[in-house]
Amino acid sequence: MSETRRKWLYQVLEKSHNSTFGYVINISLMVLIFLNVVSIVAASEQSIHDKYAVFFRWMDLFALVVFTIEYFMRIWVSIERESKDERRPIMTRLRYMITPMALVDLLAILPSYLLFLGHDFLILRALRLIRVFKLTRYSRSMELLTTVFKQEAETILSAIFVLMILIVISASGIHIVEGKIQPEEFGSIPRALWWATVTLTTVGYGDVVPVTGIGRALGILIVITGVGMAALPAGILAAGFTSEVTRRREHFKTALMVWVEDGT
Amino acid sequence: MSETRRKWLYQVLEKSHNSTFGYVINISLMVLIFLNVVSIVAASEQSIHDKYAVFFRWMDLFALVVFTIEYFMRIWVSIERESKDERRPIMTRLRYMITPMALVDLLAILPSYLLFLGHDFLILRALRLIRVFKLTRYSRSMELLTTVFKQEAETILSAIFVLMILIVISASGIHIVEGKIQPEEFGSIPRALWWATVTLTTVGYGDVVPVTGIGRALGILIVITGVGMAALPAGILAAGFTSEVTRRREHFKTALMVWVEDGT
Amino acid sequence: MSETRRKWLYQVLEKSHNSTFGYVINISLMVLIFLNVVSIVAASEQSIHDKYAVFFRWMDLFALVVFTIEYFMRIWVSIERESKDERRPIMTRLRYMITPMALVDLLAILPSYLLFLGHDFLILRALRLIRVFKLTRYSRSMELLTTVFKQEAETILSAIFVLMILIVISASGIHIVEGKIQPEEFGSIPRALWWATVTLTTVGYGDVVPVTGIGRALGILIVITGVGMAALPAGILAAGFTSEVTRRREHFKTALMVWVEDGT
Amino acid sequence: MSETRRKWLYQVLEKSHNSTFGYVINISLMVLIFLNVVSIVAASEQSIHDKYAVFFRWMDLFALVVFTIEYFMRIWVSIERESKDERRPIMTRLRYMITPMALVDLLAILPSYLLFLGHDFLILRALRLIRVFKLTRYSRSMELLTTVFKQEAETILSAIFVLMILIVISASGIHIVEGKIQPEEFGSIPRALWWATVTLTTVGYGDVVPVTGIGRALGILIVITGVGMAALPAGILAAGFTSEVTRRREHFKTALMVWVEDGT
C-alpha cells in the first residue's frame, strides 16, 4: 500500500501535468518560492524588516517546513524514476540526491537551519536566495534554455576565455600608457582590469577613463576591435537556441510522418 | 442599402490596399496620428505649450473627433469580418471590441475625454501617447514583428526571467560585499537592485559603482558571466524573425510549385 | 577611335579586376581617398592645421582635381554600361548621374568648390568627409553589406520604429515620475527623451539618472523590458547577412552541379 | 634511433590525445602558462611584487626555461608533420618557424631574455603576457572560433570599417554643433572621435556628453541609427559560428551514411 501511495506522490510531484491535484500542488509551490524570495529581498531593507518582522519570521519558517518536507518526499519517491534496480533503493536515492536539482533543494534549506541555530550572518540570509533556482523546475522553456546552455557550454566558455584574454591584454596596454598618470587606477595590471572589463563589456561606468590623447587612442582601438566579443556568448546562445528549436520541430515532424506512413 | 455602404466602408478601413480611396484615408489617419503624437510630446514643454496653446488645443480636439468617429465606424463595420453569425451582430461587435487593436483605439481616446471633463492630470496627458500604438495597424513588417514576438514570447520571458534571477543574485552579492561601505546604495538588496540592473544590462550609468577591491572583483565576475544574458532576448527575437521570414518564403515557393505542377 | 578609348577607360574604372592597369588606378584612388579623409580629420585640429597648412591646402587641391576628373570620366564612360540605347547617350548619362554612387561622387567635390570660392564654413569643411563613402565602391563585402541593408531595410526600420515608440513611452513615464524632482532634465517629454534614448540603447552616460526610489524602479522596468530592442537591428542584419551568404553559396553550388551534369 | 625518439616526441607534443604521457605533458604546460600569466599580472602590483619578489623571479626563470626547451623541441619535431620533403629538413623547419603558433612561442620567450639582459622596461614586462595566446593551442572550440574568425574576417572587417565611417561622420557632426561650446572635447574632429567611439559602441562613459539641445538631438539621431553597427561583428561571428558547426555535423552525418551504405 505504501508503494501505491509513493507512486501516486511521484505522479503528483514529478509528473504534475498528468493530474489536476499535481498541477495545484506545483503551482502552490511556485507561488510560495516566489513570495519567499520577494520577502527575503524586502526583509534585507532595515525599515521594511522592522515593520513586518513577525510576518517575515513566520513566512520563512513556513517556507522552510514546506521545502524540507518537499525535499524528503522527492528523495522518497525518487526510486519510482527507474524501476530496474528495485533491490537497492538506497543507492537510487543517493544517486538522486546528487543530481543538480536535488542539490539546489538541499542548499535552499540549509542556510535557514543555520540561521535558526543562531548563526545570524549576512551571507546566510542571502544564501537563502538559492531558492530562486527551484523555480527552474517548473518551466519548459527554462528546460530548453538549460539544454542549449549545456550544448553550447564549451563554445561559450571559449568565447568568455577569449574575452578574458582581451581584458588582460587591454589592462596591460592601458597600464603601460597611463600607469604613471593615474597610478591609483592604472598603476598595475590588476588595478587596470576594472577599467578593461567595464570597457570591453560596454558597461562603461565612466568612474575610470583614460585622460591622455594616447590613452584615448588606445581606448578607441580596444573598444572597436573588442566590442564584438562581449556580445558573442549571447549570439552563440541565441543561435544554438534556434537550431535546437528547429531540430525539435523537425524531429516531431519526422515522427509524425513516420506515424502517418505506417498508418497507410 | 445601409449594408452595401457598410461593406464599402469596411473595404475602405480594413482592406485599404484594395482601393485608392481607402489608401488615401489610411495615409491621412497615419499622418494625423503622427502629428498628434508629436504635438503631445512638444506641448509637454511649458515654453512651447504657452506659445502654441491654441494650436495644441484644436489639434487635440480635431484628433479626438476623428479617432472617436474612426472607433465607432470600425465597430460598426466589424461584422463584415465574419459573415457566419449574421443574426447576432451585437455579439460579433462585442467580440471585436475586446481585440487588442480595438482596445488600443478605445484607450487612445479615453484620456482626452477625461481631460475635457476637467480632470487635468499629468498622467492623463501622457496616456494620450497610447495613440502611437495605433500606427502598428499600418505596417506589414510591424505585423511580422508582432507575430514573432508572440511565437517567441515564452522563450523571451524565460530569458528575461533568467536575467532577473541574475540581477537578484548580483544585488545580493554586492550587498554582502559593500553593504557596510556604501550603505546608501548597497545597504539592502532592494537598494542594490539598481546597480545590478544597470550593470547586467550594460547600461552602466556610473552613478553607483563598487569602490573596494573585492567589490570590483565581484563586479568583474558578474559582468563577464552575466553580460551575455541581456543581449539574449534580442538574439532570440532576431533568430525567430529570420526563421519566420524563411518559413514564409518557402511556403510561398511551395504554393507556387504546386500551382505550376497543377498547371502542367 | 574615341569609342575604343571610352571602352578601355570603362574597363579600367569599372571592371578593374580585369586588367592590371585598372587595378593600379583603383588602388591609387582608394589610397588618395583614405589619405585625403585622414588629412581633413587632422586639419580640423588647429595646432596640426597651423603646422602643415601648406600640405593640407595642396593635398585638398590635388584630391579635388583628381576626384573631379574621375567624376566626369565616370559620366563619360557610363554609356558603356548598357549598349541598348546608343542613340540617346545623354539620357543614359543623366540616368547614371542620379545613381547613389554618382551622387556621392558629386557631393564629395561640391563642398571643396564652395570652399575655394571663399565660403569658409565649418560645415563645408566637414562635408568633404562624404568622400569616405567613395571607398564603398572598392569592396566586395561592402557590396554584400549594402545588399543585405536594402533587403532588410523595411524590417530594420520597423525595429527602429518600435525602439522610438519605446523611447517616447519611457520618456513620458520618467517625466510623470520625476518631472517635479529634476525639472531641468525630466520637466517635459522632449527633455526626458535624452535620458530615455541613452538608457534604452544601453549607452548609459550617467549625466542624467533617476534619483527617487520610484524613478529607479521605473528605470529597472524600462531597461529590462526594452534592452533587447536596441540590439534587434544588428541581430536582424546579422541573420539576413548569413542567409544571403548561404543563398549565394547554394546558388553557386547549384550552378556548378547543373554545369557538371550537363558535361556528362 | 634519434628518428624514433623524434617521432615519439612529436606524438607527445602535437598528438597529445593519443597517449597518456602526451596528455600529462600538455596539461602541465597549460597549467604552467596559466600560473605564469597570473604571476606576471600579480607582480605588476608593487606591493605584491615586493612581498613575493623571489617567487616571481624563480617562476619566470622556470617558465622561460621550459618554454624555450618546448620551442626548440617543437622546431625539432616539426619535420614529422610532413614526410614528403625529407631531404631538406631545414626548409621544413623554417616553414614551421613562421607559422602563427611558432611565432607566438618565440614572442612569448623573447621579452624575458631581454629582461634578463638588463633591459627592464615596463613594456617588456607586459609583452611576456603574449604567453596567454599559447593557451589557444589546447582547445578544440578555440580552434573552431579561430576558423570562423578567418572565414568571416572580410565581412567583420567591413562591418568594423562601416563602424569607423559612422564614428568619423558622428565626430564631425558633433564638432560642428558643439565645437564652440566644448572646445576642449569637440574643438576638432580628432578630439570628437573619443565621444563618437564611446557613444556608437554603447560604452557611454559619460565623461564627455553633449550639453546643448541641438547637440543632444544629434546624439539621439546618432545613437538610434548607429547603435546596431557595433553589435554587427558579434552577430556575424555568431551566425558564422553556428553555420560552421552545422556544416561539420552534416559532414560527419554524410560520412557516416556513406560508410553505412558501403557496409550493406
Side-chain angles (χ1 to χ4, degrees):
Chain A
M1 203 200 99
S2 158
E3 257 182 54
T4 41
R5 193 170 292 172
R6 199 177 63 205
K7 198 165 236 159
W8 171 81
L9 194 64
Y10 174 70
Q11 293 288 333
V12 166
L13 284 174
E14 307 281 352
K15 306 275 174 204
S16 58
H17 46 274
N18 288 343
S19 72
T20 321
F21 185 68
Y23 192 74
V24 170
I25 287 292
N26 278 281
I27 292 288
S28 310
L29 280 171
M30 270 179 74
V31 171
L32 180 62
I33 297 165
F34 183 76
L35 288 179
N36 190 224
V37 165
V38 169
S39 79
I40 292 169
V41 167
S44 84
E45 175 72 41
Q46 199 59 41
S47 61
I48 302 176
H49 180 266
D50 293 348
K51 230 177 188 166
Y52 307 101
V54 183
F55 170 78
F56 288 133
R57 192 183 307 264
W58 281 105
M59 165 56 108
D60 213 49
L61 190 61
F62 177 68
L64 183 59
V65 170
V66 172
F67 294 150
T68 307
I69 294 171
E70 185 207 350
Y71 178 62
F72 285 107
M73 273 186 169
R74 284 195 197 272
I75 290 175
W76 184 49
V77 304
S78 66
I79 53 174
E80 297 292 331
R81 205 172 289 250
E82 25 182 345
S83 50
K84 306 158 217 157
D85 197 10
E86 200 63 60
R87 278 159 305 178
R88 297 174 60 199
I90 291 162
M91 287 311 293
T92 317
R93 276 177 184 136
L94 279 175
R95 233 183 297 128
Y96 168 73
M97 284 170 73
I98 55 169
T99 59
M101 276 322 291
L103 287 173
V104 163
D105 283 348
L106 181 61
L107 287 171
I109 50 176
L110 275 189
S112 282
Y113 280 108
L114 291 170
L115 276 172
F116 276 99
L117 286 172
H119 307 273
D120 193 351
F121 297 118
L122 195 55
I123 204 161
L124 281 181
R125 296 184 167 277
L127 273 176
R128 289 174 301 165
L129 286 173
I130 286 169
R131 276 164 208 182
V132 87
F133 289 112
K134 284 169 76 88
L135 284 174
T136 57
R137 199 196 300 269
Y138 303 102
S139 161
R140 273 204 114 137
S141 34
M142 195 66 75
E143 181 260 320
L144 185 58
L145 265 184
T146 321
T147 310
V148 177
F149 260 114
K150 269 182 215 149
Q151 271 173 11
E152 307 286 337
E154 211 190 327
T155 326
I156 290 169
L157 284 179
S158 292
I160 288 179
F161 179 66
V162 172
L163 181 62
M164 281 163 70
I165 290 182
L166 280 177
I167 288 172
V168 170
I169 302 290
S170 304
S172 162
I174 203 74
H175 163 58
I176 293 171
V177 168
E178 294 215 348
K180 294 271 163 60
I181 289 137
Q182 302 193 64
E184 197 58 44
E185 301 297 356
F186 299 138
S188 72
I189 300 177
R191 281 157 198 254
L193 283 177
W194 176 243
W195 173 81
T197 309
V198 165
T199 299
L200 277 168
T201 56
T202 77
V203 171
Y205 289 126
D207 57 340
V208 187
V209 284
V211 289
T212 61
I214 190 158
R216 286 185 167 184
L218 183 73
I220 289 174
L221 191 76
I222 288 170
V223 167
I224 290 179
T225 54
V227 90
M229 286 316 297
L232 196 48
I236 290 168
L237 260 181
F241 194 85
T242 322
S243 74
E244 175 69 19
V245 170
T246 314
R247 209 183 57 75
R248 288 191 183 188
R249 267 184 209 147
E250 253 159 46
H251 183 80
F252 175 76
K253 234 194 321 194
T254 314
L256 201 77
M257 280 170 73
V258 167
W259 181 82
V260 167
E261 276 172 10
D262 280 7
T264 1
Chain B
M1 203 202 100
S2 160
E3 258 182 52
T4 41
R5 196 170 290 173
R6 199 176 63 205
K7 199 166 237 157
W8 173 80
L9 196 63
Y10 174 70
Q11 293 288 333
V12 165
L13 283 174
E14 307 280 352
K15 306 274 173 206
S16 58
H17 46 275
N18 288 342
S19 72
T20 321
F21 186 67
Y23 192 74
V24 170
I25 287 291
N26 278 281
I27 292 286
S28 310
L29 280 171
M30 270 179 74
V31 171
L32 181 61
I33 298 165
F34 183 76
L35 287 178
N36 190 222
V37 165
V38 169
S39 80
I40 293 169
V41 167
S44 84
E45 174 73 41
Q46 198 59 41
S47 61
I48 302 176
H49 180 266
D50 293 348
K51 230 180 189 162
Y52 307 101
V54 183
F55 169 78
F56 288 133
R57 193 183 306 264
W58 282 105
M59 165 57 109
D60 213 49
L61 190 62
F62 177 67
L64 183 60
V65 169
V66 172
F67 295 150
T68 308
I69 294 171
E70 184 207 351
Y71 177 62
F72 285 107
M73 274 188 170
R74 283 193 197 273
I75 291 173
W76 183 50
V77 304
S78 65
I79 54 173
E80 296 293 330
R81 206 173 290 250
E82 25 181 344
S83 52
K84 307 158 215 157
D85 198 8
E86 199 65 59
R87 279 159 303 179
R88 297 174 62 198
I90 291 161
M91 287 312 292
T92 318
R93 276 179 182 135
L94 279 175
R95 232 182 298 128
Y96 168 75
M97 283 170 73
I98 55 169
T99 57
M101 275 322 291
L103 287 172
V104 163
D105 283 348
L106 181 62
L107 287 171
I109 51 175
L110 276 189
S112 281
Y113 279 108
L114 291 170
L115 276 173
F116 276 100
L117 286 172
H119 306 273
D120 193 351
F121 297 118
L122 195 55
I123 204 160
L124 280 181
R125 297 183 165 279
L127 273 175
R128 289 175 300 165
L129 285 173
I130 287 168
R131 277 165 207 180
V132 86
F133 289 111
K134 285 169 75 87
L135 283 175
T136 58
R137 199 197 299 269
Y138 303 102
S139 161
R140 274 203 113 140
S141 35
M142 196 64 78
E143 182 261 320
L144 184 58
L145 266 183
T146 321
T147 310
V148 176
F149 260 114
K150 269 182 215 148
Q151 273 174 9
E152 307 286 338
E154 211 190 325
T155 326
I156 290 170
L157 283 179
S158 292
I160 288 178
F161 180 66
V162 172
L163 181 63
M164 282 163 71
I165 291 183
L166 280 178
I167 287 172
V168 171
I169 301 289
S170 304
S172 161
I174 202 77
H175 164 57
I176 293 171
V177 168
E178 295 216 347
K180 295 270 164 59
I181 289 137
Q182 302 192 62
E184 197 57 45
E185 301 298 356
F186 299 137
S188 72
I189 299 177
R191 281 157 198 254
L193 283 177
W194 176 243
W195 173 82
T197 309
V198 164
T199 299
L200 277 168
T201 56
T202 77
V203 171
Y205 289 126
D207 57 339
V208 187
V209 285
V211 290
T212 61
I214 190 158
R216 286 185 166 184
L218 183 73
I220 288 173
L221 191 76
I222 288 170
V223 167
I224 289 178
T225 55
V227 90
M229 285 316 298
L232 197 48
I236 291 168
L237 260 181
F241 193 88
T242 321
S243 73
E244 175 69 18
V245 169
T246 313
R247 209 184 57 74
R248 289 192 181 187
R249 266 185 209 145
E250 253 159 46
H251 183 79
F252 174 76
K253 233 193 321 194
T254 314
L256 201 76
M257 279 170 73
V258 167
W259 180 83
V260 167
E261 276 171 10
D262 280 7
T264 1
Chain C
M1 202 200 102
S2 160
E3 258 182 53
T4 41
R5 196 171 290 173
R6 198 176 65 205
K7 198 166 237 159
W8 173 79
L9 195 61
Y10 175 70
Q11 293 287 335
V12 166
L13 283 174
E14 308 281 352
K15 305 275 175 205
S16 57
H17 45 275
N18 287 343
S19 71
T20 321
F21 185 67
Y23 192 73
V24 169
I25 287 291
N26 278 280
I27 293 286
S28 308
L29 280 171
M30 271 179 74
V31 172
L32 180 61
I33 297 165
F34 183 75
L35 288 178
N36 189 222
V37 166
V38 169
S39 81
I40 292 169
V41 168
S44 84
E45 174 72 42
Q46 198 59 41
S47 61
I48 302 176
H49 180 265
D50 293 349
K51 230 178 187 164
Y52 308 100
V54 182
F55 170 77
F56 288 133
R57 191 184 306 265
W58 282 105
M59 164 59 105
D60 213 47
L61 190 62
F62 177 66
L64 182 60
V65 170
V66 172
F67 295 150
T68 307
I69 294 171
E70 183 206 353
Y71 177 62
F72 285 108
M73 273 187 169
R74 282 193 198 274
I75 291 174
W76 183 49
V77 303
S78 66
I79 52 172
E80 297 291 331
R81 207 171 289 250
E82 24 180 346
S83 51
K84 308 157 214 158
D85 199 8
E86 199 66 58
R87 277 158 306 178
R88 295 173 63 199
I90 290 160
M91 288 311 292
T92 317
R93 276 175 184 139
L94 279 176
R95 232 182 298 128
Y96 168 74
M97 282 169 76
I98 56 169
T99 59
M101 277 321 292
L103 287 173
V104 163
D105 283 349
L106 181 61
L107 287 170
I109 51 175
L110 275 190
S112 282
Y113 279 109
L114 290 170
L115 276 173
F116 277 100
L117 286 172
H119 306 273
D120 194 351
F121 297 117
L122 196 53
I123 204 160
L124 281 180
R125 297 184 165 278
L127 274 175
R128 288 176 299 165
L129 285 173
I130 287 168
R131 278 166 205 180
V132 87
F133 289 111
K134 284 169 74 88
L135 283 174
T136 58
R137 196 196 301 267
Y138 303 102
S139 160
R140 274 201 113 141
S141 35
M142 196 65 78
E143 181 261 320
L144 185 58
L145 267 183
T146 321
T147 309
V148 177
F149 259 114
K150 269 182 217 150
Q151 271 174 11
E152 308 286 337
E154 212 191 325
T155 327
I156 290 170
L157 283 178
S158 293
I160 288 177
F161 180 66
V162 172
L163 181 63
M164 281 163 70
I165 291 182
L166 279 177
I167 287 172
V168 170
I169 302 290
S170 304
S172 163
I174 202 75
H175 163 58
I176 293 171
V177 169
E178 296 217 347
K180 294 272 164 58
I181 289 135
Q182 302 192 63
E184 196 58 44
E185 300 299 355
F186 300 138
S188 72
I189 299 177
R191 279 158 199 252
L193 283 176
W194 176 244
W195 173 82
T197 308
V198 164
T199 299
L200 277 167
T201 55
T202 77
V203 171
Y205 290 126
D207 56 341
V208 187
V209 285
V211 290
T212 61
I214 190 160
R216 285 184 169 186
L218 183 73
I220 289 173
L221 191 76
I222 287 169
V223 167
I224 289 178
T225 55
V227 90
M229 286 316 296
L232 196 48
I236 291 168
L237 259 182
F241 193 86
T242 321
S243 73
E244 175 68 19
V245 169
T246 313
R247 209 183 56 74
R248 288 191 183 188
R249 267 185 207 144
E250 253 158 46
H251 183 79
F252 175 76
K253 235 200 305 199
T254 315
L256 202 76
M257 279 169 74
V258 166
W259 181 82
V260 168
E261 276 171 11
D262 280 8
T264 359
Chain D
M1 203 200 100
S2 160
E3 258 181 53
T4 41
R5 194 170 291 171
R6 199 176 64 204
K7 200 166 236 157
W8 173 79
L9 194 62
Y10 175 69
Q11 293 288 333
V12 166
L13 284 173
E14 306 281 353
K15 304 276 174 203
S16 57
H17 46 275
N18 287 343
S19 71
T20 321
F21 185 67
Y23 192 73
V24 171
I25 286 292
N26 278 280
I27 292 287
S28 309
L29 280 172
M30 272 179 73
V31 172
L32 180 62
I33 297 165
F34 183 75
L35 288 179
N36 190 223
V37 165
V38 169
S39 79
I40 291 169
V41 168
S44 84
E45 175 72 41
Q46 198 59 42
S47 61
I48 302 176
H49 180 266
D50 292 350
K51 231 177 187 165
Y52 308 101
V54 182
F55 169 78
F56 287 134
R57 192 184 305 264
W58 282 105
M59 164 58 107
D60 213 49
L61 190 60
F62 178 68
L64 182 60
V65 169
V66 171
F67 295 150
T68 307
I69 293 170
E70 184 206 352
Y71 178 62
F72 285 108
M73 274 187 169
R74 283 194 197 274
I75 290 174
W76 184 49
V77 305
S78 66
I79 53 174
E80 297 291 329
R81 207 170 289 250
E82 24 180 346
S83 50
K84 306 159 217 158
D85 198 9
E86 198 65 59
R87 278 159 305 178
R88 295 173 61 199
I90 290 161
M91 287 312 292
T92 317
R93 276 175 184 137
L94 279 176
R95 231 182 298 127
Y96 168 74
M97 283 169 75
I98 55 170
T99 59
M101 276 321 291
L103 287 173
V104 164
D105 283 348
L106 180 62
L107 287 171
I109 49 176
L110 275 190
S112 282
Y113 279 108
L114 290 171
L115 277 173
F116 276 101
L117 287 173
H119 306 274
D120 194 350
F121 296 118
L122 197 54
I123 204 160
L124 280 181
R125 295 183 167 278
L127 274 175
R128 289 175 300 166
L129 286 173
I130 286 169
R131 277 165 206 181
V132 87
F133 289 112
K134 285 169 75 88
L135 283 174
T136 57
R137 198 196 299 267
Y138 303 102
S139 160
R140 274 203 114 138
S141 34
M142 196 65 77
E143 181 262 319
L144 184 58
L145 267 183
T146 321
T147 309
V148 177
F149 259 115
K150 269 182 217 151
Q151 271 174 11
E152 307 285 338
E154 211 190 327
T155 326
I156 291 171
L157 284 179
S158 292
I160 288 179
F161 180 65
V162 172
L163 181 63
M164 281 163 71
I165 291 182
L166 281 177
I167 288 173
V168 170
I169 302 290
S170 305
S172 162
I174 203 74
H175 163 58
I176 293 171
V177 169
E178 295 215 349
K180 294 272 164 59
I181 288 136
Q182 301 192 63
E184 195 58 44
E185 302 297 356
F186 299 137
S188 72
I189 300 177
R191 280 158 199 252
L193 284 176
W194 177 244
W195 173 82
T197 308
V198 165
T199 298
L200 278 168
T201 55
T202 77
V203 171
Y205 290 125
D207 57 339
V208 187
V209 285
V211 291
T212 61
I214 190 159
R216 284 184 169 185
L218 183 73
I220 289 173
L221 191 77
I222 287 170
V223 167
I224 289 178
T225 54
V227 90
M229 286 316 298
L232 196 49
I236 291 168
L237 258 183
F241 193 87
T242 322
S243 74
E244 174 70 18
V245 169
T246 314
R247 209 183 57 75
R248 288 192 183 187
R249 269 185 206 143
E250 253 158 47
H251 183 80
F252 175 75
K253 235 198 312 197
T254 314
L256 203 76
M257 279 169 72
V258 166
W259 181 81
V260 168
E261 276 172 11
D262 280 7
T264 0

